[in-house]
Amino acid sequence: MNKRQLGRSGLEVSALGLGCMGLNFGYGTTVPKDEGIALIRHAVEQGVTFFDTAEVYGPFTNEAVVGEALRPVRDQVVIATKFGFRIDPDKAGWAGLDSRPEHIKAVADASLKRLGVDVIDLFYQHRVDPAVPIEDVAGAVKDLIQAGKVRHFGLCEASAQTIRRAHAVQPLAALQSEYSLWTRGPEAEVLPVLEELGIGLVPYSPLGRGFLTGKIDASATFTPGDIRATIPRFTAEAREANQVLVDLLRRIGEGHGATPAQVALAWLLSRKPWIVPIPGTTKSHRLDENVGAASLALSAQDLARIEEAASRIAVQGARYPEQLEKLTGL
């Protein structure tokens, strides 16, 4: 697989990464540890070198699986993890934001142990904490970089203003935000700032939490614990209305022998050379399908058709429940 640079940071990764969250968090199911390890190692065999996890996934268990899976190839891969939530051990989940510098440093030490590595390649603030100045957050990560515990700094779902303020203290390698054909919010203000400052973009949920694969229609049901059951964009009515976007991807794919998912990923890759999507999956054949998108070249005509048709589609439903939507774009 081709490699890409995340902005001007010097951090080189595969054109597509692997979001590992879904192995044991977020979708109501937990993949057995040995199967998760096998999937991650299969990704390495397919040329993937960029792996995304976080302490809150599980919580904690996802980092351990990722670390164990990648230990034999540690010097060949880039591991990204995240800080920024307060985790309640009794409730086995996050209990608010916490980006105090002392907490960031404690999380780094704990993540290093769970991952079984001596340095975190990319350390993101998972969500901006309004209670802690972003300059203090950037300063704490700068200390970790100087101590040799972290290589690169990143933010998630941050506004253009916050990106500028953080970057002035410690240069950012990447911003991770939701970005896809049905979530195009970053285009107006965030992408221009990233390009100006030389910061890469790592789109999570580049397949719309599975919707853009064409495998989820209005009749689909979600298992208990699946976050999609709480998301307005995944009500039956919204799914029916938004199907027109999948139909567009399918029409474009027919001319290339490609799936809707592959077209969705290829579209993202065509946007900027410093964009690196991290689709997640629990199935090896879906991983292979996603990897195939890296070699799908959409023509200028294809891209124009997508843009023209997408401009007439009003995506229905918010991308998060209200309480979670409040944590984005700060």
Side-chain angles (χ1 to χ4, degrees):
M1 189 188 301
N2 291 334
K3 298 289 187 68
R4 291 190 165 201
Q5 294 268 352
L6 284 173
R8 294 193 291 268
S9 67
L11 183 56
E12 185 180 71
V13 296
S14 52
L16 288 169
L18 178 64
C20 299
M21 181 187 83
L23 295 177
N24 48 26
F25 182 80
Y27 293 107
T29 58
T30 297
V31 174
K33 180 181 175 182
D34 59 339
E35 293 182 19
I37 289 173
L39 181 82
I40 292 169
R41 290 180 176 171
H42 178 65
V44 173
E45 293 169 356
Q46 294 296 90
V48 177
T49 67
F50 188 30
F51 296 86
D52 185 85
T53 183
E55 62 158 359
V56 77
Y57 300 161
F60 308 130
T61 53
N62 197 253
E63 285 183 318
V65 171
V66 170
E68 183 173 342
L70 296 176
R71 202 154 297 143
V73 292
R74 175 64 186 105
D75 60 344
Q76 302 170 36
V77 298
V78 171
I79 300 174
T81 192
K82 309 177 191 77
F83 64 86
F85 283 113
R86 184 173 67 255
I87 296 173
D88 184 339
D90 296 326
K91 295 182 179 180
W94 64 278
L97 301 174
D98 189 350
S99 279
R100 293 170 299 140
E102 60 269 29
H103 184 68
I104 294 171
K105 293 175 182 180
V107 170
D109 287 339
S111 290
L112 286 167
K113 289 180 181 178
R114 284 190 292 269
L115 290 166
V117 299
D118 56 10
V119 62
I120 296 166
D121 297 309
L122 178 55
F123 204 31
Y124 293 106
Q125 182 188 38
H126 209 149
R127 288 294 185 272
V128 175
D129 186 347
V132 181
I134 197 64
E135 290 82 0
D136 294 351
V137 173
V141 178
K142 184 174 185 176
D143 290 344
L144 289 167
I145 291 172
Q146 291 174 342
K149 295 181 178 182
V150 170
R151 289 198 173 106
H152 296 278
F153 177 34
L155 296 178
C156 297
E157 289 284 0
S159 68
Q161 181 184 23
T162 298
I163 293 165
R164 287 189 184 279
R165 288 170 54 197
H167 191 73
V169 175
Q170 171 58 48
L172 291 160
L175 174 77
Q176 185 176 135
S177 283
E178 185 172 0
Y179 182 43
S180 68
L181 261 174
W182 82 340
T183 301
R184 299 183 67 172
E187 291 178 346
E189 297 182 1
V190 171
L191 262 63
V193 170
L194 298 183
E195 185 147 44
E196 174 193 339
L197 299 179
I199 300 168
L201 178 67
V202 178
Y204 73 87
S205 297
L207 296 175
R209 303 186 190 281
F211 185 78
L212 298 182
T213 66
K215 304 300 181 183
I216 300 175
D217 59 20
S219 65
T221 58
F222 302 110
T223 59
D226 191 321
I227 57 175
R228 291 173 293 191
T230 70
I231 294 176
R233 195 168 288 184
F234 279 91
T235 64
E237 296 79 10
R239 279 179 273 150
E240 184 173 5
N242 294 331
Q243 191 64 40
V244 63
L245 198 55
V246 177
D247 295 340
L248 166 62
L249 295 171
R250 186 172 284 115
R251 289 196 302 273
I252 297 295
E254 286 172 354
H256 295 273
T259 65
Q262 289 174 326
V263 175
L265 292 171
W267 177 83
L268 269 177
L269 290 169
S270 76
R271 303 299 284 169
K272 297 290 181 181
W274 37 265
I275 289 178
V276 179
I278 50 168
T281 185
T282 61
K283 301 176 176 65
S284 60
H285 70 281
R286 292 295 178 210
L287 190 149
D288 293 344
E289 178 184 347
N290 293 343
V291 167
S295 57
L296 173 59
L298 297 175
S299 68
Q301 184 180 16
D302 292 329
L303 296 172
R305 284 179 61 198
I306 292 172
E307 200 63 39
E308 191 277 331
S311 69
R312 293 185 278 104
I313 297 172
V315 176
Q316 301 297 305
R319 66 191 183 102
Y320 278 119
E322 185 178 0
Q323 67 271 26
L324 295 179
E325 191 74 37
K326 290 177 180 177
L327 301 181
T328 64
L330 299 176

